[in-house]
Amino acid sequence: MFDVLIIGGGVSGMSCALVLGSAKNKSFATDKEIGIITHQKSSSLQDALFNNAYGIPAGKLGSELLSESIVHLSESYPHITQIQNEKVIRIEGESPNFNVITNKNSYKTKAIVIGIGSANTFAIEGLMQYVIPHQKALAEKQRIQLKNNDHKVTEGIYTIGTLAGWRSQLAIAAGSGAAVATDILTLWNNGVQTHAHDSIR
Ligand SMILES: Cc1cc2nc3c(=O)[nH]c(=O)nc-3n(C[C@H](O)[C@H](O)[C@H](O)COP(=O)(O)OP(=O)(O)OC[C@H]3O[C@@H](n4cnc5c(N)ncnc54)[C@H](O)[C@@H]3O)c2cc1C
């Protein structure tokens, strides 16, 4: 049973995983099981080139970020389970007892964070009732988002990145994933506000 399972290993999903992973020494997070499903084939990052994203060297390819972020997460936070090459097709159950079904397996989790992009090919059974037209993209692009209130779709389900209705910029997607990670850390900390920092001091 995962405490949280992140679906989507793109910008927002990896950012969420890194912040959750970095809280591993906090007493309220040490015993938490965290997983991320990093199916990468349909990522918008495959074609992207970044010259304007904070902290990322100019000329960085999205395809490089896809593979480098997996290594970053596994080297820095090996306690996070990475599930590669599986695509989520259905979600069953309710908080805190979800079943996430992929094309190969199924996983039990108490909470779900979903950041699989805003393409209108979205087809995850169990979430279709939350799909609405994207509120911050051109109508002719036919993007979608999940209806949410500050990333929360319903009890135990959060959406991040462009699927949460944010405009398509790397820094916005990364910030959205990090924001939800700190929301989850705050919940694990019994509602007391928290975040995760490292320091040289
Ligand atoms: C060509 C191009 C150029 C761009 N250039 C810039 C730029 O210069 N500057 C900038 O700031 N932004 C740029 N962007 C935008 C930026 O890449 C996106 O805003 C960002 O990647 C969105 O992050 P996300 O997490 O919402 O989605 P993504 O990063 O696309 O991540 C979604 C992830 O979910 C996975 N996934 C999809 N379906 C499933 C499923 N059913 N189960 C499991 N996983 C699934 C995908 O494979 C992917 O890994 C560009 C995008 C494109 C396409």
Side-chain angles (χ1 to χ4, degrees):
M1 172 71 97
F2 287 107
D3 288 279
V4 60
L5 183 57
I6 301 162
I7 303 171
V11 173
S12 61
M14 277 298 180
S15 172
C16 185
L18 286 166
V19 175
L20 285 174
S22 69
K24 67 180 189 308
N25 294 328
K26 292 186 187 279
S27 56
F28 57 80
T30 44
D31 61 338
K32 297 294 191 270
E33 292 293 331
I34 305 163
I36 180 164
I37 296 181
T38 58
H39 171 86
Q40 305 297 48
K41 280 191 198 139
S42 51
S43 177
S44 56
L45 283 177
Q46 299 283 7
D47 297 330
L49 165 69
F50 294 100
N51 292 307
N52 62 359
Y54 181 79
I56 304 223
K60 176 63 79 178
L61 298 177
S63 55
E64 292 172 326
L65 285 181
L66 277 174
S67 50
E68 289 169 5
S69 60
I70 284 176
V71 175
H72 179 182
L73 185 66
S74 63
E75 287 182 350
S76 297
Y77 307 118
H79 64 291
I80 294 191
T81 305
Q82 291 195 37
I83 301 160
Q84 297 186 358
N85 303 322
E86 293 187 32
K87 196 165 185 171
V88 174
I89 51 176
R90 193 162 75 247
I91 287 171
E92 295 171 347
E94 356 182 286
S95 170
N97 199 0
F98 293 104
N99 212 8
V100 173
I101 294 128
T102 73
N103 53 339
K104 296 180 184 164
N105 283 301
S106 73
Y107 303 94
K108 292 199 178 305
T109 183
K110 292 180 185 166
I112 293 168
V113 176
I114 178 153
I116 67 167
S118 58
N120 62 11
T121 46
F122 186 97
I124 297 182
E125 259 181 74
L127 293 178
M128 298 311 290
Q129 68 270 36
Y130 304 114
V131 172
I132 59 171
H134 200 287
Q135 304 295 292
K136 290 187 174 178
L138 287 172
E140 56 264 37
K141 291 203 165 177
Q142 299 190 323
R143 301 281 178 194
I144 60 100
Q145 66 170 85
L146 298 186
K147 198 171 176 197
N148 68 89
N149 182 6
D150 190 17
H151 297 110
K152 188 170 175 179
V153 176
T154 188
E155 202 54 44
I157 302 182
Y158 301 83
T159 180
I160 52 177
T162 52
L163 185 63
W166 295 110
R167 292 193 185 90
S168 179
Q169 294 288 160
L170 183 147
I172 299 177
S176 160
V180 166
T182 56
D183 289 344
I184 290 170
L185 292 176
T186 297
L187 272 182
W188 289 349
N189 195 27
N190 289 323
V192 180
Q193 296 294 341
T194 190
H195 51 228
H197 287 181
D198 292 319
S199 163
I200 56 167
R201 290 191 197 176

